Coordinates of all heavy atoms in Angstrom, one line a residue:
F69 N -8.4 -8.4 6.5 CA -8.2 -7.7 5.1 C -7.5 -6.3 5.3 O -7.8 -5.5 6.1 CB -9.6 -7.5 4.5 CG -9.6 -6.8 3.2 CD1 -9.3 -7.4 2.0 CD2 -9.9 -5.4 3.2 CE1 -9.3 -6.7 0.9 CE2 -9.9 -4.7 2.0 CZ -9.6 -5.3 0.9
L70 N -6.5 -6.1 4.4 CA -5.8 -4.8 4.3 C -6.0 -4.2 2.9 O -6.0 -4.9 1.9 CB -4.3 -5.1 4.5 CG -3.8 -5.7 5.7 CD1 -2.3 -6.0 5.6 CD2 -4.1 -4.8 6.9
L71 N -6.2 -2.9 2.9 CA -6.3 -2.2 1.6 C -5.2 -1.1 1.5 O -5.1 -0.3 2.4 CB -7.6 -1.5 1.4 CG -7.7 -0.6 0.2 CD1 -7.5 -1.3 -1.1 CD2 -9.1 0.1 0.2
F72 N -4.3 -1.2 0.5 CA -3.3 -0.2 0.3 C -3.7 0.6 -0.9 O -3.8 0.0 -2.0 CB -1.9 -0.9 0.0 CG -1.3 -1.7 1.1 CD1 -1.8 -3.0 1.4 CD2 -0.4 -1.1 2.0 CE1 -1.3 -3.7 2.4 CE2 0.1 -1.9 3.0 CZ -0.3 -3.2 3.2
H73 N -3.8 1.9 -0.7 CA -4.2 2.8 -1.9 C -3.0 3.7 -2.0 O -2.7 4.6 -1.2 CB -5.4 3.6 -1.6 CG -5.9 4.4 -2.8 ND1 -7.0 5.1 -2.8 CD2 -5.3 4.5 -4.0 CE1 -7.2 5.7 -3.9 NE2 -6.1 5.4 -4.7
I74 N -2.2 3.5 -3.1 CA -0.9 4.1 -3.3 C -1.1 5.1 -4.4 O -1.5 4.9 -5.5 CB 0.2 3.2 -3.7 CG1 0.3 2.1 -2.6 CG2 1.5 3.9 -4.0 CD1 1.2 0.9 -3.0
T75 N -0.8 6.4 -4.1 CA -0.7 7.5 -5.1 C 0.8 7.8 -5.3 O 1.5 8.1 -4.4 CB -1.5 8.7 -4.6 OG1 -2.9 8.4 -4.4 CG2 -1.5 9.8 -5.7
A76 N 1.2 7.7 -6.6 CA 2.6 7.9 -6.9 C 2.7 8.9 -8.0 O 1.8 9.1 -8.8 CB 3.3 6.6 -7.2
G77 N 3.8 9.6 -8.0 CA 4.0 10.7 -9.0 C 4.6 10.1 -10.3 O 4.2 10.6 -11.4
K78 N 5.5 9.2 -10.3 CA 6.1 8.7 -11.5 C 5.5 7.4 -11.9 O 5.5 6.5 -11.2 CB 7.6 8.5 -11.2 CG 8.4 8.1 -12.4 CD 9.9 8.1 -12.2 CE 10.3 6.7 -11.7 NZ 11.7 6.5 -11.4
P79 N 5.0 7.3 -13.1 CA 4.4 6.1 -13.6 C 5.4 4.9 -13.6 O 6.6 5.1 -13.8 CB 4.0 6.4 -15.0 CG 3.9 7.9 -15.1 CD 4.9 8.4 -14.2
R80 N 4.9 3.8 -13.3 CA 5.7 2.5 -13.3 C 5.1 1.6 -14.3 O 3.9 1.7 -14.6 CB 5.7 1.9 -11.9 CG 6.7 2.3 -10.9 CD 7.0 3.7 -10.9 NE 8.0 4.1 -9.8 CZ 7.8 5.1 -9.0 NH1 6.7 5.9 -9.1 NH2 8.7 5.5 -8.1
N81 N 5.9 0.7 -14.9 CA 5.5 -0.2 -15.9 C 4.8 -1.4 -15.2 O 4.8 -1.6 -14.0 CB 6.6 -0.7 -16.8 CG 7.7 -1.4 -16.1 OD1 7.5 -2.2 -15.2 ND2 9.0 -1.1 -16.5
S82 N 4.2 -2.3 -16.0 CA 3.5 -3.4 -15.5 C 4.3 -4.4 -14.7 O 3.9 -4.9 -13.7 CB 2.8 -4.2 -16.7 OG 1.8 -3.5 -17.3
Y83 N 5.6 -4.6 -15.1 CA 6.5 -5.4 -14.4 C 6.8 -4.9 -12.9 O 6.7 -5.6 -11.9 CB 7.8 -5.6 -15.1 CG 8.8 -6.4 -14.3 CD1 8.7 -7.8 -14.2 CD2 9.9 -5.8 -13.6 CE1 9.7 -8.5 -13.5 CE2 10.8 -6.5 -12.9 CZ 10.7 -7.9 -12.8 OH 11.6 -8.6 -12.1
Q84 N 7.0 -3.6 -12.9 CA 7.3 -3.0 -11.6 C 6.0 -3.1 -10.6 O 6.2 -3.3 -9.5 CB 7.6 -1.5 -11.7 CG 9.0 -1.3 -12.3 CD 9.3 0.2 -12.7 OE1 8.5 0.7 -13.5 NE2 10.3 0.7 -12.1
K85 N 4.9 -2.8 -11.2 CA 3.7 -2.9 -10.4 C 3.4 -4.4 -9.9 O 3.1 -4.6 -8.8 CB 2.4 -2.5 -11.3 CG 2.4 -1.0 -11.5 CD 1.1 -0.6 -12.2 CE 1.5 0.1 -13.6 NZ 0.4 0.5 -14.3
Q86 N 3.6 -5.4 -10.8 CA 3.4 -6.8 -10.4 C 4.4 -7.1 -9.3 O 4.1 -7.9 -8.4 CB 3.6 -7.7 -11.6 CG 3.4 -9.1 -11.2 CD 2.0 -9.4 -10.6 OE1 1.0 -9.2 -11.2 NE2 2.1 -10.0 -9.4
E87 N 5.7 -6.6 -9.5 CA 6.7 -6.9 -8.4 C 6.3 -6.3 -7.1 O 6.5 -6.9 -6.0 CB 8.1 -6.5 -8.9 CG 8.7 -7.4 -9.9 CD 9.0 -8.7 -9.3 OE1 9.8 -8.9 -8.4 OE2 8.3 -9.7 -9.8
L88 N 5.8 -5.1 -7.1 CA 5.3 -4.5 -5.9 C 4.2 -5.3 -5.2 O 4.2 -5.6 -4.0 CB 4.8 -3.0 -6.2 CG 4.1 -2.4 -5.0 CD1 5.1 -2.1 -3.8 CD2 3.4 -1.1 -5.4
Y89 N 3.2 -5.7 -6.0 CA 2.1 -6.5 -5.5 C 2.6 -7.8 -4.9 O 2.3 -8.1 -3.7 CB 1.1 -6.8 -6.6 CG 0.5 -5.7 -7.4 CD1 0.1 -5.8 -8.7 CD2 0.5 -4.4 -6.8 CE1 -0.4 -4.8 -9.4 CE2 0.0 -3.3 -7.5 CZ -0.5 -3.5 -8.8 OH -1.0 -2.5 -9.6
R90 N 3.5 -8.5 -5.6 CA 4.0 -9.8 -5.1 C 4.8 -9.6 -3.9 O 4.7 -10.3 -2.9 CB 4.9 -10.4 -6.2 CG 5.4 -11.8 -5.9 CD 6.5 -12.3 -6.8 NE 7.6 -11.4 -6.9 CZ 8.6 -11.3 -6.0 NH1 8.5 -12.0 -4.9 NH2 9.6 -10.5 -6.1
H91 N 5.7 -8.6 -4.0 CA 6.7 -8.4 -2.8 C 5.9 -8.0 -1.5 O 6.2 -8.5 -0.5 CB 7.6 -7.3 -3.2 CG 8.8 -7.0 -2.3 ND1 8.8 -6.9 -0.9 CD2 10.1 -6.9 -2.6 CE1 9.9 -6.7 -0.4 NE2 10.8 -6.7 -1.4
L92 N 4.9 -7.2 -1.7 CA 4.1 -6.7 -0.5 C 3.4 -7.9 0.1 O 3.4 -8.1 1.2 CB 3.2 -5.5 -0.9 CG 2.5 -4.8 0.2 CD1 3.5 -4.3 1.3 CD2 1.7 -3.6 -0.4
A93 N 2.6 -8.6 -0.7 CA 1.8 -9.7 -0.3 C 2.7 -10.8 0.4 O 2.4 -11.3 1.4 CB 0.9 -10.3 -1.4
E94 N 3.7 -11.1 -0.3 CA 4.6 -12.2 0.2 C 5.3 -11.8 1.5 O 5.3 -12.6 2.5 CB 5.7 -12.4 -0.9 CG 6.6 -13.6 -0.6 CD 7.6 -13.7 -1.8 OE1 7.1 -14.3 -2.8 OE2 8.8 -13.3 -1.6
N95 N 5.7 -10.6 1.7 CA 6.4 -10.2 3.0 C 5.4 -10.0 4.1 O 5.8 -10.3 5.2 CB 7.3 -9.0 2.7 CG 8.5 -9.4 2.0 OD1 9.4 -10.1 2.6 ND2 8.7 -9.0 0.7
L96 N 4.2 -9.5 3.8 CA 3.2 -9.4 4.8 C 2.8 -10.9 5.3 O 2.6 -11.1 6.5 CB 1.9 -8.8 4.3 CG 2.1 -7.3 4.0 CD1 0.9 -6.8 3.2 CD2 2.2 -6.5 5.4
H97 N 2.8 -11.8 4.4 CA 2.5 -13.2 4.8 C 3.6 -13.8 5.6 O 3.4 -14.4 6.7 CB 2.2 -14.1 3.5 CG 2.0 -15.5 3.8 ND1 0.8 -15.9 4.4 CD2 2.7 -16.6 3.7 CE1 0.8 -17.2 4.6 NE2 1.9 -17.6 4.2
V98 N 4.9 -13.6 5.2 CA 6.0 -14.2 5.9 C 6.2 -13.6 7.2 O 6.4 -14.3 8.2 CB 7.3 -14.1 5.0 CG1 8.5 -14.4 5.8 CG2 7.2 -15.0 3.8
T99 N 6.0 -12.3 7.3 CA 6.3 -11.5 8.6 C 5.2 -11.6 9.6 O 5.4 -11.7 10.8 CB 6.7 -10.1 8.2 OG1 7.8 -10.0 7.4 CG2 7.1 -9.3 9.5
L100 N 3.9 -11.4 9.1 CA 2.8 -11.2 10.0 C 1.8 -12.4 9.8 O 0.8 -12.4 10.6 CB 2.1 -9.9 9.7 CG 2.9 -8.7 10.0 CD1 2.2 -7.4 9.6 CD2 3.3 -8.6 11.5
G101 N 2.0 -13.2 8.9 CA 1.0 -14.3 8.7 C -0.3 -13.9 8.0 O -1.3 -14.6 8.0
I102 N -0.2 -12.8 7.3 CA -1.4 -12.3 6.7 C -1.6 -13.0 5.3 O -0.7 -13.1 4.5 CB -1.3 -10.7 6.4 CG1 -1.2 -10.0 7.7 CG2 -2.4 -10.3 5.5 CD1 -0.8 -8.6 7.5
S103 N -2.8 -13.6 5.2 CA -3.0 -14.3 3.9 C -3.0 -13.4 2.7 O -3.5 -12.3 2.7 CB -4.4 -15.0 4.0 OG -4.9 -15.4 2.7
P104 N -2.4 -13.9 1.6 CA -2.3 -13.1 0.4 C -3.7 -12.7 -0.1 O -3.9 -11.7 -0.7 CB -1.6 -14.0 -0.6 CG -0.7 -14.8 0.3 CD -1.5 -15.1 1.5
A105 N -4.7 -13.5 0.2 CA -6.1 -13.2 -0.1 C -6.6 -11.9 0.6 O -7.5 -11.3 0.2 CB -7.0 -14.4 0.1
D106 N -6.0 -11.6 1.7 CA -6.4 -10.4 2.5 C -5.6 -9.2 2.1 O -5.7 -8.2 2.8 CB -6.1 -10.8 4.0 CG -7.2 -11.6 4.6 OD1 -8.3 -11.6 4.1 OD2 -6.8 -12.4 5.5
V107 N -4.9 -9.2 1.0 CA -4.1 -8.0 0.6 C -4.6 -7.5 -0.7 O -4.5 -8.1 -1.7 CB -2.6 -8.3 0.6 CG1 -1.8 -7.1 0.1 CG2 -2.1 -8.9 1.8
M108 N -5.2 -6.3 -0.7 CA -5.6 -5.6 -1.9 C -4.8 -4.3 -2.1 O -4.6 -3.6 -1.1 CB -7.1 -5.2 -1.8 CG -7.7 -4.6 -3.0 SD -9.5 -4.4 -2.9 CE -9.8 -3.5 -4.3
I109 N -4.3 -4.0 -3.3 CA -3.5 -2.9 -3.6 C -4.0 -2.2 -4.8 O -4.3 -2.8 -5.8 CB -2.0 -3.4 -3.9 CG1 -1.5 -4.2 -2.7 CG2 -1.1 -2.2 -4.1 CD1 -0.3 -5.1 -3.1
V110 N -4.2 -0.9 -4.7 CA -4.6 0.0 -5.7 C -3.6 1.1 -5.9 O -3.1 1.7 -5.0 CB -6.0 0.7 -5.4 CG1 -6.4 1.6 -6.6 CG2 -7.0 -0.4 -5.2
V111 N -3.1 1.2 -7.2 CA -2.1 2.2 -7.4 C -2.6 3.3 -8.5 O -3.2 2.9 -9.5 CB -0.8 1.6 -8.0 CG1 0.3 2.6 -8.3 CG2 -0.3 0.5 -7.1
N112 N -2.4 4.5 -8.2 CA -2.7 5.6 -9.0 C -1.5 6.5 -9.3 O -0.7 6.6 -8.3 CB -3.9 6.5 -8.5 CG -5.1 5.8 -8.2 OD1 -5.4 5.4 -7.1 ND2 -5.9 5.5 -9.3
F113 N -1.4 7.0 -10.4 CA -0.3 7.9 -10.8 C -0.7 9.3 -11.1 O -1.8 9.5 -11.6 CB 0.6 7.3 -12.0 CG 1.1 6.0 -11.7 CD1 0.5 4.8 -12.1 CD2 2.2 5.8 -10.8 CE1 1.0 3.6 -11.8 CE2 2.8 4.6 -10.5 CZ 2.1 3.5 -11.0
T114 N 0.1 10.3 -10.7 CA -0.2 11.7 -10.9 C 1.0 12.4 -11.6 O 2.0 11.7 -11.8 CB -0.4 12.3 -9.5 OG1 0.8 12.3 -8.8 CG2 -1.6 11.7 -8.8
Q115 N 0.8 13.6 -11.9 CA 1.9 14.5 -12.5 C 2.6 15.2 -11.4 O 2.0 15.5 -10.3 CB 1.3 15.4 -13.5 CG 0.6 14.7 -14.6 CD 1.5 13.9 -15.4 OE1 2.6 14.3 -15.8 NE2 1.1 12.7 -15.8
P116 N 3.8 15.7 -11.6 CA 4.5 16.4 -10.5 C 3.8 17.6 -10.0 O 3.7 18.0 -8.9 CB 5.9 16.8 -11.2 CG 6.1 15.8 -12.2 CD 4.7 15.4 -12.7
E117 N 3.1 18.3 -10.9 CA 2.3 19.5 -10.5 C 1.1 19.2 -9.7 O 0.5 20.2 -9.2 CB 1.9 20.4 -11.8 CG 0.9 19.7 -12.7 CD 1.6 18.9 -13.9 OE1 2.8 18.7 -13.8 OE2 0.9 18.6 -14.8
D118 N 0.8 17.9 -9.5 CA -0.3 17.6 -8.6 C 0.0 17.5 -7.2 O -0.8 17.2 -6.3 CB -0.9 16.2 -9.1 CG -1.5 16.2 -10.5 OD1 -2.1 17.3 -10.9 OD2 -1.4 15.2 -11.2
W119 N 1.3 17.8 -6.9 CA 1.8 17.7 -5.5 C 2.3 19.0 -5.0 O 3.0 19.8 -5.7 CB 3.0 16.7 -5.5 CG 2.6 15.3 -5.9 CD1 2.4 14.8 -7.1 CD2 2.5 14.2 -5.0 NE1 2.1 13.5 -7.1 CE2 2.1 13.1 -5.8 CE3 2.5 14.0 -3.6 CZ2 1.9 11.8 -5.2 CZ3 2.3 12.8 -3.1 CH2 2.0 11.7 -3.9
S120 N 2.1 19.3 -3.7 CA 2.7 20.4 -3.0 C 3.2 19.8 -1.7 O 2.3 19.3 -0.8 CB 1.7 21.5 -2.7 OG 2.4 22.5 -1.8

Side-chain angles (χ1 to χ4, degrees):
F69 175 81
L70 302 173
L71 171 61
F72 295 83
H73 188 176
I74 302 169
T75 302
K78 183 174 90 176
R80 275 35 179 226
N81 63 40
S82 293
Y83 175 78
Q84 290 171 299
K85 289 183 238 180
Q86 181 58 60
E87 282 299 294
L88 172 68
Y89 306 153
R90 183 193 60 75
H91 192 310
L92 190 52
E94 187 176 281
N95 284 291
L96 289 166
H97 179 69
V98 168
T99 305
L100 296 172
I102 298 169
S103 168
D106 282 329
V107 179
M108 182 174 175
I109 305 161
V110 178
V111 180
N112 298 103
F113 298 102
T114 62
Q115 299 299 315
E117 64 266 15
D118 296 326
W119 297 77
S120 173

